[in-house]
Amino acid sequence: MPSLKLEKYIWIFLCFLGVVFCSVEISTLGDFSIFIEASKDLSKNENIYSKTYFDGYHYYYSILFAIVLKLFNWVNIDVLKFIWVLLNYLCFIHLLYLLNKYYLSKLNETKHKYLLLIFSFLFCLTFLIQNIHSSQITLFILWCSIYSLKLIYQNKTWLGALILAIGINIKILPIVLLPVLVFNGKIKDVFYVVLFYFILFVFPVFILGFDYFFELIKSWWQLINPLSNKHVLDVEERSFHSLTTFLSVLLVENTHELYILPIKRNILNLDINSLKIFIFLVRITLAISVLIFIKTPYFKDKYIYFKTELSYSFVLLLIPLIFPHQQHYAFVFCLPAAILICYYYLNVKNKPLFFLLIISFLCFNLKLILGEFNDYYEHFKLITYGALILMFLLYYVNSKVNKNRLFVL
């Protein structure tokens, strides 16, 4: 590990930086304003999922989350927003600590330890800034995912399961971790996650009543249903990035986007039904491919250094790819994969792997480095290319990992 004294100063500096940054960002509108307005509408028995806020934006999160926020409606909005964005920033810093702690202990050279720390912070810097600027909840959801896994593999089942259930309840994305936990033999832990999720899911009934609750659930499902036609093309906003958006602009000539450059980017022109089938097949293929990252025999309770991290990094990376309606900031879910690949490179010094990792970094951060060409990055969905590069690097690392004893301890 870096010297304890210097490491302490690093974390203090990052926390101080977060206080300054978050203080500046409370002046922006952000999604937190949508969360607060939706929580206020619960008191009026309004349908928070059919209603739109601030120029047509929907509230996509859980009923329970809105109920919890309603408890703080008496707090000054600026104070509340500062606490909110700072909490999410601190979740990111704790994520860096959780994701790096084990790998740092395995690296022998001090300079490699510092390189890994610097890389970890910079790789998703654009997404960190966008999450704070938009006062989003994605950093907290990723923290729930990673921290719950750490607790579950430390046999702290109840706490780990509760944190993961909270993450799934607020935003359903971490649900993809459950099948991987099952295949890794954590069946009891999954049972507790499902139990806690069910409790959190039905709890609002006792506050809102059955009729209002089921009206909200029906509207919520209509809003997030991945099979709906609006989630096939998934181009309502220029800033959307996922495989649905990526494949739509690649395989359909006219996606009827509001903001589009007069530059050809499609290689085919499929009809909507063919596109829907193709996207479904791609999603299924990627979901099944998770199995190659899981050590056999399946359904056995085990932890295998690096191999287990590979499986969870891969499935977290898939979240912004396979779920529709994903904004830039959702690609912070790629961070565990990027750190893992960087750690692998520091051990094996594979130059082609390093080159591709840098390309992925540029795909993620060109908006921050050279923002004047952002229209082109959005037009060609550059961020999705960065995530796909990381995905194939994970496939490569997984194919090599069993051949090197360093990674099967």
Side-chain angles (χ1 to χ4, degrees), residues 297-313:
Y298 301 137
F299 312 116
K300 297 293 183 181
D301 189 353
K302 57 190 178 300
Y303 173 85
I304 301 171
Y305 163 61
F306 206 76
K307 187 72 173 176
T308 300
E309 282 85 356
L310 272 170
S311 62
Y312 291 112
S313 296

Side-chain angles (χ1 to χ4, degrees), residues 305-335:
Y305 163 61
F306 206 76
K307 187 72 173 176
T308 300
E309 282 85 356
L310 272 170
S311 62
Y312 291 112
S313 296
F314 181 79
V315 77
L316 287 170
L317 180 146
L318 287 186
I319 285 176
L321 288 175
I322 64 176
F323 282 92
H325 204 77
Q326 297 302 306
Q327 296 278 6
H328 296 182
Y329 46 71
F331 284 80
V332 74
F333 276 94
C334 296
L335 180 61

Side-chain angles (χ1 to χ4, degrees), residues 5-19 89 93:
K5 188 174 181 180
L6 182 57
E7 183 186 358
K8 178 182 177 181
Y9 288 143
I10 291 173
W11 296 121
I12 291 174
F13 171 74
L14 289 176
C15 291
F16 173 76
L17 187 66
V19 172
Y89 179 87
I93 298 303

